[in-house]
Amino acid sequence: MLDSGATHNFITPTAAKQAKLKITTNDKLEISLGTGVVVSGYFGKVGMRYFHKLRNKFFCPIVNLDKLWSLVPEDVKAKSTKDKVPLIDVTQHGFFKVLGKGHLPENKPFVVKAKLISKTAEKKIKEAGGAVVLTA
C-alpha cells in the first residue's frame, strides 16, 4: 500500500511489479485515526445510501375494511338501500390505501374511492356487492 495522500491509496500488483516494489500481504487491516485510536477491520462506508430522500414520497396512510363503514355519516347510512349505495371517499378522510383486514357489514354494499387498494380488500368489497373506484 502506498501513501500518496489521496483518499484511495492502493496500487495494482502489475504496477508494483513494474516499479520493482516488494509486495507483501497483510491479513490484518488496521486504520489509525488522527486521535491515535486504531480501528481494526475497518472497511469504510458500509451500507446503502439514499441520496436526496424525499420522505413524503412514501407517505401512505391506511385504513382497514372494518373501519370503512364508520366513515359513512349516520343520515347516509339510514338512506342507503340495495339500489342507492353510499360512496366512501377515503382520501377525504385522510387515507390513501384500503387494506382487507376485518369483515364488512352484511347486505350493505358501498362504493369505495381510494388511491390504492389491496387485492383482498377489493375481493371482499365486490363479494359484498360493492365496487371500487381508483383515483390518481
Side-chain angles (χ1 to χ4, degrees):
M1 180 162 51
L2 296 177
D3 188 10
S4 64
T7 56
H8 296 86
N9 299 326
F10 299 100
I11 188 171
T12 61
T14 55
K17 285 181 185 177
Q18 287 178 353
K20 297 180 181 167
L21 298 173
K22 184 180 174 187
I23 298 175
T24 57
T25 59
N26 186 2
D27 294 335
K28 188 175 180 184
L29 179 66
E30 290 184 345
I31 303 295
S32 178
L33 302 177
T35 58
V37 177
V38 176
V39 181
S40 61
Y42 178 74
F43 291 103
K45 293 180 182 175
V46 179
M48 295 173 58
R49 290 179 287 173
Y50 194 119
F51 298 107
H52 195 69
K53 185 174 184 178
L54 302 174
R55 295 196 184 273
N56 59 348
K57 181 179 180 180
F58 305 107
F59 180 73
C60 187
I62 60 169
V63 64
N64 286 311
L65 281 180
D66 53 357
K67 303 291 183 199
L68 280 182
W69 193 244
S70 65
L71 299 176
V72 180
E74 291 297 325
D75 59 333
V76 177
K77 285 181 187 177
K79 293 178 188 175
S80 66
T81 62
K82 283 275 191 185
D83 297 328
K84 189 175 179 182
V85 295
L87 171 71
I88 303 172
D89 190 358
V90 294
T91 55
Q92 295 283 325
H93 297 280
F95 301 107
F96 289 170
K97 187 170 186 174
V98 179
L99 299 180
K101 181 182 174 186
H103 300 285
L104 294 173
E106 295 291 325
N107 300 324
K108 300 210 188 238
F110 51 84
V111 179
V112 178
K113 190 175 180 182
K115 287 186 176 187
L116 301 166
I117 192 157
S118 69
K119 289 181 182 179
T120 55
E122 185 176 6
K123 180 182 170 191
K124 288 181 181 182
I125 291 169
K126 289 184 178 177
E127 285 176 355
V132 175
V133 178
L134 294 176
T135 60

